[in-house]
Amino acid sequence: MPEIVLAHDYLVQCGGAERVVAHWASAFGSRTLYTLAYSPQGTFDQFRDLDVHPSIHGSLTAQVERLLPALPAIADRTVVSGGDVALVSSSGWAHRFAYQMPHVVYVHSPARWLYAASDYRMRLSPMRRAGLWASTPLLRHGDREAMRRAASVIANSVVTRDRIREAYGLDAEVVNPPVEPVAAEARAPRHPLPDAFTLCVARDRGYKNIGLAVAASRVAGLPVIVAGSGSEQLDRPEEGVHGLGRVTDAELAWLYRHADVVIGSGREDFGLTIIEAALEGTPAAVVPAGGYLETVSPGVNGFHAGSATPEDLAVAIRAARELDPVASRTWARRFGLDAHVGKMSRVLEEVVQRA
């Protein structure tokens, strides 16, 4: 196996993309990781054992997303060296780094602020929204040039493959993310919780559409637990909404195991949480779009709603509660780490041989 250097946009949160990179570090024995910003307390503990090279330091680390106008230039000047090949996790920036070796880009999504602007700009002030709109043509030009420098481009799902083709004019192979149980032991959160509940695992981002999950749970007659950074702002137990904020992996495992149904209500490119829940025997009720079309097998580990409305999603919630936990676990195992590593190893070795 060649020596593999890792790269990722920025390590400041506990999201699905960060979990994928953590799996890579362990599976490929990688010790070096390049990124724009690194907050050890804000992301998974596994990265503490790596030699992490951030381009942004100090107090600016916590404000990395607010540095959007400067990020293209910072990314372009982030030099990645050492190793035989770089494995790049990107949803916007890491593919722009200056690689001194062949590199493979694993795309979680083409940059939302460039190619799915309605998802991203809703979080910006009117002034920043106008600035992004004006600079989009130039940003897209640089983004496309950077992606075309990759030795190979991999998509995390079929929907991402289609978006890559539309954004960059490139054909990408699909390799689904590795999904393993989030923790060996489960621990109940220190928060009074109902006996029966739906679960929505999502950071408080507009495209996650947490409001739909809350509304659908209410129609289905179940309280909802929301876990993820920022969700503590939604905590209204008297209204059947329990916002826990960021939880540990052990607490997340407990929530997966005890939830009646996990809800997928956002615009996801894959949706790791659906498979993580299925590994614990918990079915899903999801909107009929994006990565959920791959991660949910109707009648096996969940159901797609007839439409993205609270009423139709509630129908899917009620139906999912009747599914067999064993079938959910069996379905989820096909997305395991071994299958992912086997496919990615082949791609990496082919790239090194061509170099």
Side-chain angles (χ1 to χ4, degrees):
M1 174 63 66
E3 183 179 352
I4 300 169
V5 174
L6 303 180
H8 180 63
D9 296 335
Y10 32 75
L11 294 171
V12 297
Q13 60 191 15
C14 292
E18 288 75 28
R19 197 178 289 280
V20 169
V21 178
H23 280 311
W24 286 350
S26 175
F28 294 119
S30 299
R31 306 303 306 164
T32 305
L33 192 155
Y34 289 82
T35 188
L36 287 179
Y38 176 43
S39 172
Q41 68 275 14
T43 189
F44 296 115
D45 289 340
Q46 292 94 318
F47 297 118
R48 296 175 185 267
D49 297 328
L50 303 184
D51 182 15
V52 179
H53 296 260
S55 298
I56 298 169
H57 300 272
S59 60
L60 292 177
T61 296
Q63 304 294 323
V64 62
E65 289 190 326
R66 296 180 178 274
L67 299 176
L68 178 60
L71 288 181
I74 298 173
D76 291 344
R77 291 197 297 268
T78 298
V79 177
V80 179
S81 60
D84 301 304
V85 62
L87 179 53
V88 183
S89 161
S90 183
S91 56
W93 301 111
H95 64 281
R96 296 185 65 122
F97 295 173
Y99 293 94
Q100 296 186 345
M101 75 283 277
H103 61 288
V104 174
V105 180
Y106 188 84
V107 181
H108 303 280
S109 172
R112 290 185 182 275
W113 56 89
L114 293 180
Y115 307 105
S118 60
D119 286 347
Y120 185 79
R121 292 176 186 167
M122 67 179 67
R123 303 172 53 222
L124 303 179
S125 66
M127 182 176 296
R128 294 181 68 209
R129 194 179 302 128
L132 179 57
W133 178 84
S135 61
T136 289
L138 182 61
L139 287 171
R140 282 185 176 180
H141 177 75
D143 186 66
R144 289 167 180 158
E145 283 193 343
M147 190 64 78
R148 289 178 177 275
R149 290 196 292 267
S152 183
V153 178
I154 307 296
N156 71 341
S157 68
V158 170
V159 68
T160 298
R161 179 199 63 192
D162 294 343
R163 291 173 182 170
I164 290 170
R165 184 179 296 122
E166 182 179 356
Y168 304 114
L170 299 173
D171 290 322
E173 179 179 351
V174 175
V175 179
N176 292 138
V179 189
E180 294 288 308
V182 296
E185 297 183 4
R187 185 179 303 110
R190 295 180 179 179
H191 191 293
L193 299 176
D195 293 331
F197 58 88
T198 64
L199 174 65
C200 179
V201 183
R203 298 185 302 279
D204 189 13
R205 301 289 180 87
Y207 68 90
K208 297 292 186 179
N209 207 359
I210 296 174
L212 175 58
V214 171
S217 297
R218 187 169 290 122
V219 173
L222 287 169
V224 58
I225 293 176
V226 186
S229 178
S231 63
E232 63 274 14
Q233 304 298 323
L234 307 174
D235 191 40
R236 295 179 179 83
E238 69 281 1
E239 299 177 15
V241 181
H242 302 264
L244 304 188
R246 180 181 170 186
V247 298
T248 67
D249 282 349
E251 290 170 336
L252 182 58
W254 189 95
L255 292 170
Y256 281 144
R257 293 178 189 180
H258 288 82
D260 286 49
V261 177
V262 64
I263 300 178
S265 55
R267 291 182 288 279
E268 293 289 354
D269 306 293
F270 180 73
L272 282 166
T273 60
I274 301 305
I275 303 301
E276 289 174 349
L279 284 170
E280 304 296 345
T282 299
V286 299
V287 295
Y292 298 137
L293 299 177
E294 291 177 73
T295 54
V296 173
S297 178
V300 178
N301 75 312
F303 287 98
H304 298 109
S307 68
T309 62
E311 292 74 20
D312 281 353
L313 190 52
V315 170
I317 290 171
R318 296 189 187 102
R321 296 182 76 184
E322 305 301 320
L323 292 177
D324 180 9
V326 175
S328 289
R329 294 189 185 98
T330 301
W331 165 259
R333 292 189 188 109
R334 69 181 61 199
F335 297 94
L337 180 61
D338 288 346
H340 175 89
V341 169
K343 293 175 182 177
M344 293 302 298
S345 296
R346 172 184 54 78
V347 173
L348 292 164
E349 289 171 355
E350 289 175 354
V351 167
V352 171
Q353 290 171 3
R354 293 199 306 263

